[in-house]
Amino acid sequence: MGASFRESMGWLHTWAGLVIGLLLFAVFWTGTLCVFDREIDRWMNPSTRLVYSGEPIAIDGLREEAGRLSPRTAPWAIVLPTPREPVLSIGYRGRGGFERTLFDPLTFKTVAPAESWAGTRFFFPFHHTLHLRIWHLGTWLTGLAGVAMMALCISGVIIHRKIFVDFFTLRRSRQPQRLLLDLHNTTGTLGLIFYFVMSFSGVTILASVYYPSGVWVAFEGGRSGYVRDTYDVFSRPHLNQPGPPLGSLDAMAATAREAWGGLNPGLVRVFHHGDRNSYVEVRPSIEAEVAMRTDPFFFDAATGAVLYRTSIRETTQVQQFLTGLHFAQFRHWTLRWLYFALGLLGCVLIVTGLLFWIESRRKAHAAADWKGVGFVEGLTIGGTGGMVLATLAFFVANRVLPSGATFRGVARYELEIWVFLAVWVLSFAHGWMRCGAAWIDQCRLVAGLCILAVALNGATTGDHVLRAWTDGKLAVAGMDLVLLAGGFAAAVTAWRLQRRRQGTAPKQFRHHHLEGQSS
């Protein structure tokens, strides 16, 4: 504890930010990408670059196909298309994981399977699990990051006596720590509410993971009983007796759509297909509202009679609203771009906080011959700039690797992930080896990879920016434009860092350097 409450909060803010900063950046960066996870999917899986306007689709013609594709004992589902995800899919959970077949929603012709995990299967799970599934370790770490971010938001407000003045202060000083502090204060104040709400809602979504084991005793059936009571889940057993053919799925969807006030269904799932006790679940689309609704209808599979309509409790509705607010899957492009901009702002907030710690201690550590600043700087370079580099390498690998590529039994999507991880690890080594120039190097690499990814996309698919825009493939064109904008920003940053580095070099060094260049 410090001499005052504000000093204590300053200590908390400094060290919580330093210890959790890199984890926070990974969570914020991947969360920002997930705002456009469906668009990243379409860019990385060219076969799914379809155009769909959102009109209702008749799915009765897929009943036989779905029954043929899925095992008789497993429930199968038809996931209906949306303008953001314009493919229709039939999926089921098999022994090897979730299997699905993709279709064009207008012609019902099969579409080549997705060969990349892209946004929804790589960045989205990374955002909340870090792909560390054992003992829910990744989920616990992201929960720790969420709690730390809330503590940082509160302590940051407390330690700033003039927070509103700081918001409008951006001094262009030759002293790096002063500029970094102003940037940190400005980005922190501008997105304060967003950072707190995202952290709080993220922890709330995963709250059941953090419950102690004794909590489940209060529910009949343990954890499954908790899910049943919370979400009012309906089920009926498999009788192992042959039943009548499957009824009209379109009629069941129409009944649900009318009850929902015109809201289209997002998923139609069939349980116990071919059994006398077979039933159908119809769930609403999550695009129309902020809340991620889970109030499905359940129908008898043969007759189409309504068996049950889920009734969601008010407390569950609050949780669904927070979930929808965090995931941002609702159809509102202005808010989606705002989420994206504020997410990038949060990344800048984290980076400037780490850099301010480094610059404010650089001289003192050098005088005392301590290695702490160099170590933290290398970590910061690898954990922030390296994460951006790894993401871009992931995109470039996706465009370079041929369809069906394998290496010693490793599938194509796994090769992309290995490229991501390899570049991320190498960026840490680069940060420690070239501490002084690493930021410039990595900014130049980011600029080059951005341009390369756009060029490769046009060369390998023909969907360059103008053509994609003209053909209505706005997701592809938007992805390319964001990459080009990011490349331009990285190039300008590298140029400014190089000028600053040359400008702060000793006069004698600059004199000899210029003489060497002229000779």
Side-chain angles (χ1 to χ4, degrees):
M1 297 298 290
S4 67
F5 180 66
R6 181 174 280 109
E7 287 183 11
S8 298
M9 290 297 100
W11 181 92
L12 173 65
H13 192 84
T14 298
W15 291 103
L18 180 65
V19 174
I20 307 294
L22 296 183
L23 175 60
L24 269 176
F25 185 88
V27 173
F28 255 80
W29 174 254
T30 51
T32 302
L33 295 177
C34 287
V35 173
F36 291 109
D37 55 353
R38 303 287 196 266
E39 288 70 26
I40 293 174
D41 283 356
R42 291 163 71 183
W43 192 90
M44 298 187 73
N45 293 302
S47 65
T48 64
R49 296 179 182 182
L50 307 174
V51 179
Y52 170 67
S53 60
E55 66 274 7
I57 291 177
I59 57 175
D60 278 345
L62 290 172
R63 287 176 295 182
E64 291 185 8
E65 183 72 10
R68 183 183 66 81
L69 289 172
S70 61
R72 302 288 291 180
T73 56
W76 52 262
I78 297 176
V79 181
L80 297 168
T82 66
R84 289 190 63 215
E85 193 172 15
V87 292
L88 183 148
S89 64
I90 297 175
Y92 65 92
R93 191 170 298 281
R95 292 182 178 179
F98 190 76
E99 306 286 344
R100 66 174 187 162
T101 305
L102 307 180
F103 296 86
D104 186 318
L106 302 181
T107 64
F108 283 171
K109 292 182 179 178
T110 56
V111 173
E115 293 188 283
S116 173
W117 276 13
T120 53
R121 298 187 68 186
F122 180 69
F123 288 123
F124 177 69
F126 192 106
H127 173 61
H128 65 91
T129 69
L130 308 176
H131 288 290
L132 298 175
R133 302 284 185 177
I134 184 169
W135 302 320
H136 297 292
L137 179 60
T139 305
W140 278 96
L141 287 173
T142 54
L144 173 64
V147 173
M149 189 64 189
M150 287 187 279
L152 288 167
C153 289
I154 295 170
S155 58
V157 171
I158 293 171
I159 63 179
H160 284 95
R161 298 174 184 272
K162 302 176 181 179
I163 188 169
F164 292 106
V165 174
D166 288 341
F167 172 68
F168 295 103
T169 302
L170 189 61
R171 293 163 288 191
R172 298 183 63 184
S173 172
R174 286 187 174 272
Q175 296 181 5
Q177 61 265 36
R178 180 169 294 175
L179 177 60
L180 289 169
L181 180 60
D182 288 346
L183 278 171
H184 186 70
N185 292 337
T186 301
T187 53
T189 308
L190 187 61
L192 177 66
I193 296 175
F194 177 80
Y195 309 144
F196 189 88
V197 170
M198 288 298 104
S199 302
F200 176 75
S201 58
V203 173
T204 303
I205 292 167
L206 300 172
S208 61
V209 177
Y210 311 131
Y211 290 161
S213 57
V215 169
W216 308 118
V217 178
F219 299 93
E220 184 179 353
R223 187 183 290 268
S224 60
Y226 161 78
V227 174
R228 183 177 60 252
D229 292 350
T230 303
Y231 298 102
D232 196 21
V233 177
F234 172 84
S235 65
R236 62 182 188 179
H238 189 278
L239 296 180
N240 289 320
Q241 298 177 12
L246 182 62
S248 172
L249 298 177
D250 290 325
M252 300 177 203
T255 300
R257 184 184 296 112
E258 183 179 358
W260 292 327
L263 178 63
N264 285 328
L267 176 142
V268 177
R269 179 158 46 188
V270 178
F271 295 84
H272 314 325
H273 181 62
D275 190 75
R276 191 162 66 88
N277 238 6
S278 179
Y279 64 100
V280 177
E281 176 189 12
V282 181
R283 286 195 176 195
S285 171
I286 59 175
E287 280 205 326
E289 300 177 1
V290 174
M292 294 190 71
R293 296 176 55 176
T294 54
D295 53 339
F297 274 84
F298 293 89
F299 300 89
D300 183 85
T303 65
V306 177
L307 298 175
Y308 193 75
R309 180 179 182 180
T310 298
S311 177
I312 301 297
R313 299 179 179 180
E314 292 182 356
T315 51
T316 305
Q317 290 176 7
V318 172
Q319 196 268 352
Q320 289 179 341
F321 179 82
L322 290 172
T323 302
L325 191 68
H326 189 94
F327 287 164
Q329 295 300 308
F330 46 85
R331 189 171 55 247
H332 197 303
W333 285 104
T334 304
L335 274 179
R336 190 172 300 282
W337 281 107
L338 182 61
Y339 268 58
F340 184 74
L342 288 171
L344 290 179
L345 205 66
C347 294
V348 174
L349 170 75
I350 297 164
V351 173
T352 52
L354 291 167
L355 289 178
F356 175 73
W357 187 94
I358 292 168
E359 294 299 331
S360 62
R361 289 162 174 79
R362 188 183 296 277
K363 290 183 179 180
H365 281 220
D369 197 26
W370 292 346
K371 307 297 183 182
V373 162
F375 179 74
V376 173
E377 187 172 15
L379 281 177
T380 302
I381 292 168
T384 58
M387 173 63 75
V388 178
L389 271 179
T391 300
L392 294 170
F394 185 64
F395 294 154
V396 169
N398 172 262
R399 296 292 83 228
V400 170
L401 292 172
S403 177
T406 59
F407 179 74
R408 295 188 176 183
V410 178
R412 186 180 186 276
Y413 76 90
E414 293 176 295
L415 292 175
E416 293 176 4
I417 295 172
W418 277 112
V419 168
F420 175 93
L421 295 174
V423 171
W424 196 18
V425 170
L426 288 173
S427 66
F428 283 96
H430 174 255
W432 282 312
M433 292 172 63
R434 282 180 56 84
C435 240
W439 285 113
I440 300 172
D441 294 344
Q442 293 203 7
C443 283
R444 288 171 176 169
L445 283 171
V446 166
L449 287 176
C450 283
I451 296 171
L452 181 60
V454 174
L456 287 172
N457 176 54
T460 56
T461 66
D463 288 332
H464 54 77
V465 177
L466 292 177
R467 180 177 178 180
W469 190 275
T470 304
D471 293 346
K473 300 175 182 178
L474 302 184
V476 180
M479 178 83 171
D480 279 352
L481 289 172
V482 169
L483 285 171
L484 290 175
F488 176 77
V492 170
T493 303
W495 175 71
R496 291 183 66 88
L497 288 174
Q498 184 65 38
R499 283 191 61 189
R500 178 179 286 273
R501 190 173 184 226
Q502 291 174 347
T504 55
K507 290 183 179 180
Q508 185 179 3
F509 171 81
R510 294 205 305 271
H511 177 70
H512 291 308
H513 179 68
L514 291 173
E515 282 185 352
Q517 282 186 333
S518 63
S519 64

